[in-house]
Amino acid sequence: MSWIKNRLKYIQHVAFLVLLTFLEADSRESFYRHYPSSIPSFLPVPTNITVHEGETARLRCRITNLGPKMVVWRKANDESPLTLGKMSFTPNKNIKIQTESIEDADGEEDRYDLIIKDVQQEQAGTYECRVSAMENYTQNITLHVLDPVEYKPELRLQGTKYVSLMENVHLICNATGSSTAPDGVDWFFNGDPINEMNPRWHGRLYEINKKPLPGRSLISEIIIEKATMEDRGHYVCRLTKVLAEGFKVHVLNDRKNHKEPKRDMKDDKSETSLFSKDSNSGSSRWNYIQVSCITTFCYFITYIIHR
């Protein structure tokens, strides 16, 4: 008899919970019916995203009137969610959720962006940004993943083409790898490897290698101080056996011949004309002095004779 009473009490509790659920659902439906502006809505975003394998994909989701409701990202036809609210719900560390709330005169906007780093081909497909409310509001975003981009190695060499004697030779080699930055490049001079242990450059050669940013680029520089006539020739920067670039350096022996750079012809003419004017004025003064002296001397002789 007691077993029957317990069973009846259990049925009553279940019925009460079911009734309470229906009443709560009816109250939510009545609330959204009377206040339609409180219903979550999605703002326009790109619904087709295309990236290459290995790149980062950003799937955007913009919502107004979100309130306390939860946003869930999941891949279509997959029961397991990727994110729940502001938390990731997947063991894949390359999948993150980025959230932001913006308030302005038009209202409040909530942003829930799904970030997928190092995208793979199997991650292509349709993703759902879902808001759990009285009804499930869903926006679909389709992700297309293309084959990885194949970059070709590149090389560019530049520097000082004409160097005066005892000045510095400065060459810059910008090398770009196919996927990552090269570890280094090889330098040659007239076909021979450049080595600071070589007596030719001992104490004058400096090589600087740097990678400006994480990527595929390496910048290699060589500086040869106090250039001599033996430093003129053909320099080569080599990235691979089939990729190299040359640069010819000329050393000008202007100190030995004491040659000054040619000046502007107009300046030469103006200086020449000034010099000519000064010369003419000088000769005129000399002629005037000579005539004055001769005239004075004649007056003096005439005065003595008549006396």
Side-chain angles (χ1 to χ4, degrees):
M1 194 71 179
S2 59
W3 178 82
I4 297 176
K5 290 182 179 180
N6 292 335
R7 191 67 176 177
L8 289 174
K9 287 182 179 180
Y10 174 77
I11 295 173
Q12 287 177 351
H13 283 297
V14 172
F16 177 76
L17 291 176
V18 172
L19 178 61
L20 185 62
T21 302
F22 276 106
L23 290 174
E24 184 179 2
D26 183 67
S27 63
R28 287 186 179 181
E29 184 177 0
S30 176
F31 176 79
Y32 285 125
R33 189 185 305 113
H34 288 86
Y35 302 98
S37 60
S38 298
I39 297 177
S41 61
F42 294 95
L43 297 177
V45 293
T47 56
N48 282 282
I49 307 298
T50 302
V51 295
H52 291 273
E53 185 175 351
E55 295 180 344
T56 299
R58 176 185 289 268
L59 282 60
R60 294 176 171 84
C61 188
R62 305 287 189 265
I63 309 165
T64 59
N65 299 325
L66 179 60
K69 294 170 283 295
M70 179 176 291
V71 177
V72 178
W73 272 102
R74 59 185 290 271
K75 194 174 183 181
N77 302 324
D78 192 349
E79 295 181 357
S80 301
L82 298 173
T83 65
L84 291 174
K86 299 181 179 181
M87 298 177 58
S88 296
F89 198 74
T90 174
N92 191 341
K93 296 182 179 180
N94 289 331
I95 298 180
K96 304 290 183 182
I97 184 70
Q98 189 176 86
T99 64
E100 184 181 8
S101 296
I102 300 177
E103 293 186 9
D104 53 22
D106 296 331
E108 184 176 356
E109 174 187 335
D110 290 281
R111 299 180 176 183
Y112 283 76
D113 293 353
L114 184 68
I115 309 298
I116 306 177
K117 298 181 179 180
D118 191 20
V119 176
Q120 301 301 312
Q121 292 281 353
E122 60 270 14
Q123 292 178 311
T126 301
Y127 290 78
E128 296 179 351
C129 178
R130 175 179 294 183
V131 178
S132 299
M134 178 59 196
E135 297 179 0
N136 287 327
Y137 300 90
T138 304
Q139 185 177 56
N140 293 333
I141 308 292
T142 303
L143 176 63
H144 306 275
V145 181
L146 304 179
D147 293 335
V149 178
E150 295 183 2
Y151 296 98
K152 294 182 179 180
E154 298 179 357
L155 195 67
R156 186 179 61 180
L157 179 59
Q158 58 185 358
T160 50
K161 189 175 183 179
Y162 297 97
V163 182
S164 296
L165 195 65
M166 301 304 292
E167 290 184 347
N168 294 344
V169 176
H170 188 192
L171 301 178
I172 303 174
C173 182
N174 194 331
T176 304
S178 57
S179 58
T180 59
D183 294 329
V185 295
D186 299 320
W187 286 95
F188 296 87
F189 172 72
N190 289 338
D192 296 325
I194 294 179
N195 190 340
E196 61 180 1
M197 300 304 296
N198 190 321
R200 175 196 297 272
W201 295 297
H202 184 67
R204 300 190 301 126
L205 175 66
Y206 299 92
E207 182 175 353
I208 304 171
N209 294 321
K210 54 186 178 181
K211 299 177 182 180
L213 292 173
R216 303 183 299 113
S217 181
L218 167 72
I219 298 178
S220 179
E221 303 181 38
I222 60 170
I223 300 174
I224 302 175
E225 295 182 338
K226 299 179 180 180
T228 65
M229 298 304 296
E230 288 74 20
D231 294 329
R232 59 185 176 180
H234 196 69
Y235 293 80
V236 173
C237 175
R238 186 182 70 177
L239 179 59
T240 64
K241 292 184 178 180
V242 295
L243 183 57
E245 188 169 339
F247 191 90
K248 190 171 184 180
V249 174
H250 304 265
V251 179
L252 307 179
N253 191 7
D254 52 358
R255 291 196 175 189
K256 179 178 179 181
N257 298 326
H258 301 284
K259 292 183 178 180
E260 295 292 337
K262 292 183 179 181
R263 293 169 292 180
D264 187 70
M265 295 301 295
K266 292 182 180 180
D267 295 338
D268 292 342
K269 290 181 180 180
S270 60
E271 291 180 5
T272 302
S273 61
L274 290 174
F275 178 77
S276 300
K277 291 180 181 179
D278 293 340
S279 299
N280 294 335
S281 62
S283 62
S284 299
R285 292 193 191 96
W286 174 247
N287 292 335
Y288 175 76
I289 293 173
Q290 285 181 334
V291 171
S292 300
C293 291
I294 293 174
T295 303
T296 304
F297 180 74
C298 291
Y299 277 119
F300 179 74
I301 296 299
T302 304
Y303 173 76
I304 293 176
I305 293 174
H306 286 84
R307 187 177 179 184

